[in-house]
Amino acid sequence: MRRLRATLRAVAESILAAAIGLVVAGFILKAWGYSPISAYIALFEASFRDLYGIAGALANATPLILTALTFAVAARAGLFNIGAEGQMYFGALAAVAASLFRLPPGLHLLVALAFAGAAGVLWSLVPSVLRATRGVSEVISTIMFNWIGRYLAFWLVANVLVDPYRAEKTITVLPGSRFPTLVPGTDLSYAIFLAVAVALLVYFLLWHTVTGYEMRAAGANPDAARYGGVRSAGVIVLVFLLGGITAGLAGATQSLGRPPTYAVYSGLPQISNLGFDGIGVAMIGRNHPLGIIFAAVFYGGLQSGARVMQLFAGIPLEMVRVVQGVIVLALALPELLRIFRILRRRRVELGGER
Amino acid sequence: MTLGYFWSILFLSLHAMVPITLTAAGEVVGERAGLFNIGLEGILLLSAFTGALGAEAGGWPLGLLVGIGTGAVVGLFFGLVNAYWKGNQLITGVGINLFALGFVAFGLQALGTPGFHDVPRDVRLPAIQTPVGGLSPIVLLALVVPFAIHWFLNRTRAGLWVRAVGENPEAADVAGVPVELVRLLATTFGAALAGLAGAYMAISWMGSVTKEMAAGRGFIALATVVFSGLRPILTLAGGFIFGFFDSLATWIANIPGVKEAVPWQFVSTIPYIATLLVVTGVIGRVRFPKALGVPYRRE
Amino acid sequence: RVALILDVGGRGDLSFNDMGFKGTEEAMAEFGWEMTVIQSATAADYLPNIRNAARTRAFDLILCVGFLLADALNQVAPEFPDQKFAIIDAVVDQPNVLSIVFEEQEGSALVGALAGMLAAHYGYPYVGVVLGIEIPVLYHFEGGYRFGIDWGLKKYAQVTGEEPNVGLLWVYTGTFSDIAKGKAAAEAQLEQGAVAVYNVAGPLGIGILEAVTEKLEELGREAGPPFMIGVDANQDWMGDGNKVIASMMKRVDVGCYTAIKMVHEGTFAGGVLRMGLANRGVGISRFLDLLEFIDFGVAAGAIGAERRPEIAANWAAVRASLPTWIWKAVDELEKKILSGEIVVPKPATREEMLQVRELYPLVRE
Amino acid sequence: MPEPLLKAEGIVKVYPDGTVALRGVDFDIRPGEIQGLLGENGAGKTTLTKIISGLLPPTLGRILLGGEPVRLRSPKEALARGIGMVHQHFALVDDFTVLENIALGTGRPADRALRASVAELMERTGLRVPLDAPVENLAVGERQRVEILKVLSRAVRILILDEPTSVLTPVETDELFGFLRRLKGEGVGIVFITHKLREVLEITDRVTVLRRGEVVGEVLTRETSAEELARMMVGAELRPRGRRPVELLTDIPRERREAVRTGVEPVLVVEDLRVPAEGGGEAVKGISFELYPGEILGIAGVEGNGQTELVEAICGLRGGRGSARLRGREILGLPPLELYRLGLAHIPEDRWKYGLILSFTVAENSILGRQRSPRFLGPLTVLRWGEVFAHARELIARFSIQAPGLEAPAKSLSGGNQQKLIVGRELSKEPDVVIAAQPTRGLDIGAAEYIRDLLLGLRDEGKAILLVSADLDEVLELSDRVAFMYEGTFTAVTTPAELDRERAGLYMGGMRG
Ligand SMILES: Nc1ncnc2c1ncn2[C@@H]1O[C@H](COP(=O)(O)OP(=O)(O)OP(=O)(O)O)[C@@H](O)[C@H]1O
Ligand SMILES: Nc1ncnc2c1ncn2[C@@H]1O[C@H](COP(=O)(O)OP(=O)(O)OP(=O)(O)O)[C@@H](O)[C@H]1O
Ligand SMILES: [Mg+2]
Ligand SMILES: [Mg+2]
């Protein structure tokens, strides 16, 4: 009951924040001479009205759910892992690499996913070990590893996995290891189920297993966790392991499950920033796997809405980004409702003084 | 390599150091006061843009002022949201970054050439001519600022207040320190320095604005803050190490023969690996202010 | 109506996105049409963007700028067989798609030849090139440039009887956006004695020009050497007209204009349109180009209209300061390419690129 | 009667979560008077004083200073009007030096002038602390002194002390009292909060008693008695005590327990235990003792003399050298979970640091440290929530813990109930050896009594208990043997019967017995 109420409040707050963001952004649009009404009609028509739109939002949400989980799991355990970006690169590439050999369809997909998870883990290994053994802040090591990973991924794309006939991209993933498209005529694939399933698994892990209990304990109060027999090094390694897997899978959903490419391009244009966006999604979803699913769909909807606002309302993408920024800023005030309540109480207080 | 190369790399490194060191040193002040601003990337970009506009309107002094002012305004906003309204610092930062990315790209488009704006040479900050090349005066400033901040934090009353509200806002409050105000001012100051860094990029270092000119420097600055262990003077070292290896990597990549042996992508990773090695080998565990990132509420 | 779909670079890349915009805008003005610009935030937007535009059935032509959009277009085109599409820089083999590709290697050979002869003429040890992310389009540039330099050096030896000792400095920066990297790379090349730095990284040219300008300041000169060599657009007007010796123009604008015109005139048909030296799709910048693009700069507010004569004069003075035989030699190479007497290598894969590098190593003794 | 310095009228305080802490309190502070403020845990003492010192706004009601209504929006404003408060939980910045902390309080830079004036103040008050030591290296008593110095280094006319003596030794308490009397002589109005009736009777002039947010009595100290005050506090007669006042220690049935001990093996043998201190050096310098089943071994001493380190080393939270054997098995360096399996339970001194995860629910906290016991651990480490809830419910029933619910966060429990939850959880581990560090700190009489009774009961069941407490009375009352700890060593090990408060004070002060 108590939990339900807390959840409802969190949801209400997020919705209110989004609404406030939209209103403020509406004024900005207006100020620049665009019509906010038609912009928002375009936005919602595009992303949430019909199946086509919803599919677009979900397709965008797929990788974001996974990279957000990377951040959220760590945050729950008191770590600030922003390495999803780099780990995701290798996940995407490893999934492609699985197409260097042939396997029966289906199995091939599983193997590619395993590759991706393993690659993500591999790339999170050094920061995790540095943190566990030398206390090196994961903030710095993961930022550095993101950049290092970026260049190594460039190299892998251009030299190792390169498509011999089209050097701007890697070899194309074999059909047998792709996620089939879920809604024909859209870019939504079955990968969304993977993302949601992983989120549910993470939820189960965090709140229904002793391992999760220990992770959360380490995050909420490291001293008490130690007192309760939780080994912090173990938790760190586990967090990075999990984070690496989810980030790796996030990459895989892009190279295996996003038509039409099924390959990674030079310069990584289709996967860049998914890791960073995931941080925003995790924050909006309050680092809770279920909240993350909704936050990712919302964020994904904004992204696909952005395309359509250009098309129908003539609003340039840059302006759409401004709008997104404002909405996210409104979301930063997690206790909007509380603020309203404080205003109310102020009045009581003043009344009482008389 | 000849002496000329040496000077060249040194100057390259110094110039590359400036935005990182200034931004990081400012962020040290903010973080010491307990606010963690990941919107620095956005501030760099915004103030580069406004700084350029300012310079064109009234010369480089105005440009620098406008850049600093832009940073300060964003910092003020960040401080209001987080010090007073107890907002979520991470989300605010993400929002600022998104906003800046859109706003600057849009603004550049509105100016004429989308994505790129050239700052005329006559309104740029003049470089100090040395026998071995031009040196931006901001480089000298960046060499001084961390020391000034060090002095401020450790030797002044206001510095004491800043550290106190970051370590134990409750204790500071009880002692009569206006916690919210100190946090607000500290983060505003930090953002203003980032604003200076942005203006420097636009009207001194690059002489132009592009929509992606921050190019991750805000995040590198955040890493540098961690690197420094929140000691302002070490942000100089952090910024320089990064700037040096970044420049060195570009140099190495240009030496005939090297690129046949080592792919350029590997060379490009040098600054990051070097920074990481220094952190691992020298800095190790970092102690953050206890109340970093935690909103302060009285009840 | 025309939908112009841009890749993640978006407007302001000073390269094909901006040029595509320019060409489309011109066509719109001429035919009285309307255009809708759709920019892509990430590469994941390509497919939905094209599809969304096609679904409206409101556009006479959907114009995709950039090879990155090829896969997505290849997917969408068959879904909308009645919709006309065009794509720049890639070949999409569908009946309703016009593919416009450029022979960048041809233009690059011309500026390469110029750069090689410049170095030999001024006694500089190197010529330079700064490239962006390693993609095959850039291989065309690099390959053509190498070939041209080699040709230019041989020409120089032939004309003057001296054997020049000139090498090539080249670097992939891995970015099309961090102009600081462009500046640093150019500085490194200039310091080692590059006579000209060829910009093959779009916006990084800003950094390169900055480095050239600073080098000149250090040398106490107004005009080059050293120079920058511009790319895609005519960039000769930048830096007062005396710091960019020439530009390798890749007229994406002409390509876009042509495609729209074909629709307008009812001559549109799927297939491949190759734009090379022959149909002025690529080329080395001339005086008329300069004037056109000065206007472009003026319109964009980058320079004042009153500076037009000054820039033109500076430009002419720089060009005149070189022996005429050099310019003649460039023309000669152009003619030979046009006539088919010379075929410039066009590496499209990594293997081929490596072969070209082996063929023209351009290492100083 | 002199005009009050400050009058609080009709103060009501509702916390944002709806807790009503004060229900219309009238209160005044007079110059040259020490005013006792008494009440159970949660009665609202701290809340009231926080309102007076500007830290919290009242929901209703007003404050008059010298007859004028004022609005104190922050401690800064209160300080400017001469109202200073020493807080129950230290309001010190740990990694600042003493001088820096004082500078913070005075709003002056930490310079030579400040140093001189603080030195002068220390001279005048007799409260001495090393000015350049970081506060985190100080003993708790020293920190308390810093707090007081901090407030006094501003000119205050009203001084509020919230439970200042709970961490002081008798000697230190006496010093503080002497000093308070002097301040009183200077006309300062003092509010003194404590749970110790003896202190109230000793130092105050007037006593106000709060119960559940209301004033239930205001009496002159010389006209009241401990019994009357206690009755006012809890609203009824105290139930008969399970043990006797210190003065009557002689007839503790010691023979019975000595009989138990003869011929019995000690369960815990500590030999030459050395524990490094955080700032370098040793915090525990070679301590040896034996702990027998059926006894309480008390460790008395001023806090900061190595007790914390001693306990943490034995309990696996800190490295140490030497040896500690639990039923013959070496336990130094073993992880906490292993110790619990071997039958050791630890009631930590800092319940917010080690004892509880405040943001976790009551249910979650009820298994901390036991999360891997077979009862809660299913296959694939699945947590058996049903069992966890059952367990938490058992604890709540057995230890009469007042909690809003099993899923309420631990931070919503009152201090006493938080402590009961910890004690209950530790005892549910069915240990043979209980290490109890400051088990009743900050608890009101009722809650403290309950915990003490529990410990005595455990002893009578034959468990071995190591009791570390800064409350000398408590140690003397409960222990069968007492060790005095000073600067990392035991100065004396004896039985309470052979002690009086004076001797004990001397041992705590470093004299060897
Ligand atoms: N920040 C808070 N939010 C909600 N309730 C609170 C808060 N602080 C205190 N309370 C509640 O207000 C009531 C009064 O608490 P207060 O701290 O004033 O008691 P106290 O008399 O000082 O007790 P103690 O002897 O334990 O120090 C209690 O019920 C307490 O739980
Ligand atoms: N910080 C807080 N936030 C919310 N509720 C609180 C808080 N502190 C206490 N409460 C609630 O207020 C109620 C009264 O707490 P209070 O401290 O008065 O208890 P108490 O009866 O004095 O217990 P104890 O004697 O053990 O301290 C409790 O039910 C507790 O759950
Ligand atoms: Mg209480
Ligand atoms: Mg209290």
Side-chain angles (χ1 to χ4, degrees), chain B residues 299, chain D residues 15 17 19 21 39-47 88 163 195 442:
Chain B
E299 46 184 15
Chain D
Y15 278 106
D17 62 357
T19 309
E40 280 190 293
N41 285 138
K45 307 177 294 290
T46 300
T47 305
Q88 180 176 6
E163 300 195 26
H195 286 294

Side-chain angles (χ1 to χ4, degrees), chain A residues 2-3 204 207-211 213-214 216-217 220-221 223-224 226-230 349-350 352-353, chain D residues 60 71 317 336-337 346 352-354 356-357 360 364 368-369 371-372 377 381-383 385 407 425-426:
Chain A
R2 186 182 270 271
R3 240 184 216 174
F204 186 82
W207 275 279
H208 290 274
T209 70
V210 171
T211 312
Y213 174 91
E214 292 184 340
R216 287 186 298 123
N221 183 344
D223 288 314
R226 201 157 61 85
Y227 163 90
V230 180
E349 196 181 302
L350 293 175
E353 253 184 356
Chain D
L60 288 175
R71 220 177 144 166
L317 295 170
L337 277 192
H346 172 201
W352 288 354
K353 183 175 181 194
Y354 287 121
L356 290 173
I357 299 177
F360 271 27
E364 285 171 327
L368 183 64
Q371 69 271 16
R372 288 193 178 270
L377 185 69
T381 90
V382 168
L383 191 59
W385 272 115
E407 298 215 46
R425 178 187 70 210
E426 291 309 302

